[in-house]
């Protein structure tokens, strides 16, 4: 919801922007594997992000058939705005819980995510 409110097609777009901002230099194929997104879906997603000037793709100097997606300055700004909006929404939602309950909820969700990571990505 937060990603769409900022003009993205959905949370996958924001996840890709975030992943590219955290670690650059990966090919589309590597990025897709790490995020658990198939090649066709990732290509469409990157086409859309590139069309919105949030991502550019350059040739991989080691393999000219491969592309390396990179976040643009506009993409970084948008990703940061969405992260701030996400943090505000999280703060509002968790306000009903005490600090100890918030810590417990985060720990349980982390444990759940870790336990399901072995079964494959959920994107």
């Amino acid at each position: 919801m937060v990603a769409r409110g900022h003009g993205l097609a959905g949370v996958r777009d924001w996840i890709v922007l975030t992943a590219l901002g955290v670690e650059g230099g990966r090919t589309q194929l590597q990025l897709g594997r790490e995020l658990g997104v198939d090649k066709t879906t990732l290509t469409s997603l990157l086409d859309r992000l590139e069309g919105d000037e949030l991502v550019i793709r350059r040739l991989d100097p080691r393999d000219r058939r491969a592309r390396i997606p990179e976040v643009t300055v506009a993409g970084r700004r948008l990703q940061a705005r969405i992260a701030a909006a996400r943090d505000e929404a999280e703060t509002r939602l968790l306000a009903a819980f005490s600090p100890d309950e918030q810590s417990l909820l985060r720990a349980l969700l982390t444990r759940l995510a870790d336990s399901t990571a072995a079964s494959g990505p959920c994107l």
Side-chain angles (χ1 to χ4, degrees), residues 6-82:
H6 283 80
L8 295 179
V11 71
R12 281 186 177 181
D13 291 9
W14 181 74
I15 290 169
V16 169
L17 287 177
T18 300
L20 292 173
V22 169
E23 180 184 342
R26 292 173 288 183
T27 66
Q28 281 183 215
L29 188 60
Q30 291 168 321
L31 179 65
R33 280 188 197 130
E34 289 175 17
L35 296 178
V37 178
D38 69 77
K39 186 169 77 170
T40 303
T41 301
L42 184 61
T43 298
S44 296
L45 193 149
L46 289 171
D47 287 346
R48 185 174 54 252
L49 292 173
E50 192 169 40
D52 292 340
E53 299 181 351
L54 301 173
V55 168
I56 59 169
R57 289 179 274 193
R58 62 181 174 82
L59 292 174
D60 183 343
R62 296 167 302 231
D63 180 356
R64 296 185 57 78
R65 297 169 295 168
R67 301 282 184 261
I68 298 176
E70 297 176 345
V71 180
T72 64
V73 171
R76 287 185 189 281
R77 275 193 231 121
L78 180 60
Q79 193 280 331
R81 283 196 309 271
I82 294 170

